[in-house]
Amino acid sequence: MPVEFLGIAATHDGSETTPRSGAAFDKEYTLRLARAHEDHGWDRVLFAYGSGSPDPAPAAAYLASRLERLQILLAHRPNVSYPTFAAKTFATLDQISDGRLTVHFITGGDDHEQGREGDTLTKDQRYARTREYIRIVKKIWTTHEPFDHEGEHYRFHDFVSDVFPVQQPRPNVSFGGSSPAALAAGGAEADVFCLWGEPLERTAEQIEAVRAAAKAAGRTDVPRIQVAFRPIIAPTEELAWEKAHRTVGAIRERGATGPGRRHRTGAPQNTGSQRLIAIAEAGERYDRALWTPTAAATGGAGNSNALVGTPETVAQALLDYYDLGVDILSARGYDLLDDAIDFGRYVIPLVREEVAKRDAGRAAGGPRSLAAVGE
């Protein structure tokens, strides 16, 4: 299967290393960054969600109406709207984008962050709500007759939407998490299951857990796997590692003195971040290029493990994950615009070329990895 690349649709130029230079929603920068992705070989970009951040849905509609090819991954928290309203929003955005939408449902792993918008459910209750929410949205997307719903978290009667997605039967659903509750929910409902970058051995274990959860839910198919990294690339290995150490120094300095992004000061509640911290405590370097101090510096906040090296080294590291069964690779640098361009120019073509060789070998009856046949 061809590999896909996911970048970030940031609405301003700030990052963990640099304060933003303008407003939280800088529409010129938002469009410039998205065009850089579209022009340099990326498949889609993620519109992330934060309690105080610009609303990602209208921002995504703004880009979709101005770009021709780039696909959209829209993050959405079920606590912020009723599923009947959300399903119409998503269908409208799929119409605006001519069928380029995937929805990433976020259950929420931090009680404090959820509470900022009035969500007081426990973690297990949130996962139960998310499963019900996704099922309702899917049904609204695909049902043309009025229906009632009487569930644990949602109740409505005689509802039918008048707007439907371009994609048939529906847009894809994306989901992430590492806890047993996340695996159960995503295994049952997700078309794409998202993981944060971990060492190869642990990633393989997580992929097997996702597949087992899908089987336990009675599915005959399995979710596609996406894994996310923070690439740090340079023309030589020495320069790449110098850049990596400068980057983690900037993260620490900004976390200590900057008023921008707030990193955790206590132990994280979500399993994914706990895993990143444990991996960082066990070692700084894993496999071909995985480097954990960037994750340690943010307290395991989100996508934070780096891949460090030349474009060739980072491309080979990504191919190691492809060989495990990962075919959606998420990458985001710390200089959002320049790193998106450099990654698109120097890494994406290398990975696509090698994946094409693997696919050709597989079509001829060989294994997924050409390394297995001595290439």
Side-chain angles (χ1 to χ4, degrees):
M1 178 180 293
V3 69
E4 296 182 11
F5 288 92
L6 169 70
I8 189 70
T11 59
H12 58 76
D13 60 357
S15 75
E16 295 93 334
T17 62
T18 308
R20 74 180 191 228
S21 62
F25 180 52
D26 179 340
K27 68 178 184 179
E28 287 77 17
Y29 181 84
T30 301
L31 182 56
R32 185 182 177 196
L33 179 61
R35 281 182 171 152
H37 283 85
E38 183 167 80
D39 292 343
H40 291 88
W42 298 79
D43 296 286
R44 61 173 55 85
V45 287
L46 167 66
F47 281 87
Y49 189 93
S51 59
S53 300
D55 187 348
Y62 168 70
L63 283 192
S65 66
R66 287 160 176 80
L67 300 177
E68 298 298 324
R69 182 190 60 81
L70 196 66
Q71 298 176 57
I72 293 163
L73 178 59
L74 180 71
H76 180 77
R77 286 182 184 168
N79 61 289
V80 299
S81 70
Y82 217 71
T84 50
F85 176 84
K88 294 184 297 180
T89 299
F90 303 147
T92 304
L93 183 52
D94 200 53
Q95 290 283 344
I96 292 170
S97 67
D98 295 320
R100 287 179 280 152
L101 176 69
T102 297
V103 182
H104 180 66
F105 289 93
I106 302 174
T107 298
D110 183 271
D111 291 344
H112 182 66
E113 168 65 8
Q114 294 300 122
R116 287 179 173 136
E117 293 188 285
D119 188 4
T120 59
L121 297 186
T122 66
K123 183 177 179 178
D124 286 345
Q125 289 172 331
R126 292 198 297 267
Y127 275 110
R129 178 183 61 191
T130 299
R131 291 183 73 164
E132 184 178 348
Y133 195 100
I134 293 173
R135 288 169 181 166
I136 293 169
V137 168
K138 287 179 178 178
K139 187 170 183 178
I140 292 170
W141 281 341
T142 56
T143 300
H144 293 259
E145 298 295 331
F147 69 95
D148 300 339
H149 179 83
E150 294 281 348
E152 180 181 358
H153 297 279
Y154 303 104
R155 296 173 183 171
F156 54 85
H157 305 283
D158 197 37
F159 180 83
V160 62
S161 178
D162 196 32
V163 57
F164 291 90
V166 171
Q167 298 176 79
Q168 293 298 315
R170 58 172 177 79
N172 280 335
V173 165
S174 172
F175 194 89
S178 298
S179 68
L183 290 166
E189 300 298 336
D191 302 296
V192 177
F193 199 102
C194 306
L195 305 171
W196 289 333
E198 296 187 4
L200 290 166
E201 181 179 359
R202 298 192 183 209
T203 300
E205 292 169 355
Q206 286 195 292
I207 292 172
E208 287 306 312
V210 171
R211 291 171 175 168
K215 183 178 180 180
R219 293 177 59 171
T220 56
D221 63 337
V222 294
R224 298 176 66 195
I225 302 296
Q226 173 184 303
V227 178
F229 302 97
R230 306 300 294 271
I232 300 174
I233 62 173
T236 69
E237 294 292 328
E238 181 180 7
L239 289 173
W241 285 104
E242 289 176 2
K243 182 179 177 180
H245 288 288
R246 288 197 307 272
T247 298
V248 81
I251 293 171
R252 289 170 178 155
E253 181 179 358
R254 178 146 170 73
T257 63
R261 294 179 58 131
R262 291 171 291 177
H263 300 308
R264 299 183 181 94
T265 56
Q269 294 179 329
N270 63 308
T271 303
S273 292
Q274 292 169 4
R275 289 174 65 94
L276 293 186
I277 291 172
I279 291 166
E281 289 174 346
E284 289 192 356
R285 294 180 66 170
Y286 292 86
D287 305 319
R288 196 186 300 266
L290 191 73
W291 195 55
T292 65
T294 47
T298 63
N303 171 22
S304 50
N305 268 339
L307 292 176
V308 182
T310 64
E312 293 77 11
T313 296
V314 170
Q316 288 299 321
L318 292 170
L319 288 161
D320 291 338
Y321 288 90
Y322 178 81
D323 291 338
L324 290 181
V326 176
D327 58 18
I328 304 175
L329 299 169
S330 174
R332 171 165 52 103
Y334 292 94
D335 183 331
L336 300 179
L337 180 61
D338 288 347
D339 287 347
I341 292 170
D342 286 347
F343 189 88
R345 282 177 174 167
Y346 303 119
V347 178
I348 289 178
L350 295 176
V351 177
R352 290 200 193 280
E353 180 181 358
E354 289 302 317
V355 166
K357 291 179 182 178
R358 283 159 165 75
D359 288 348
R362 205 159 65 246
R368 177 161 181 160
S369 171
L370 289 182
V373 292
E375 183 165 337

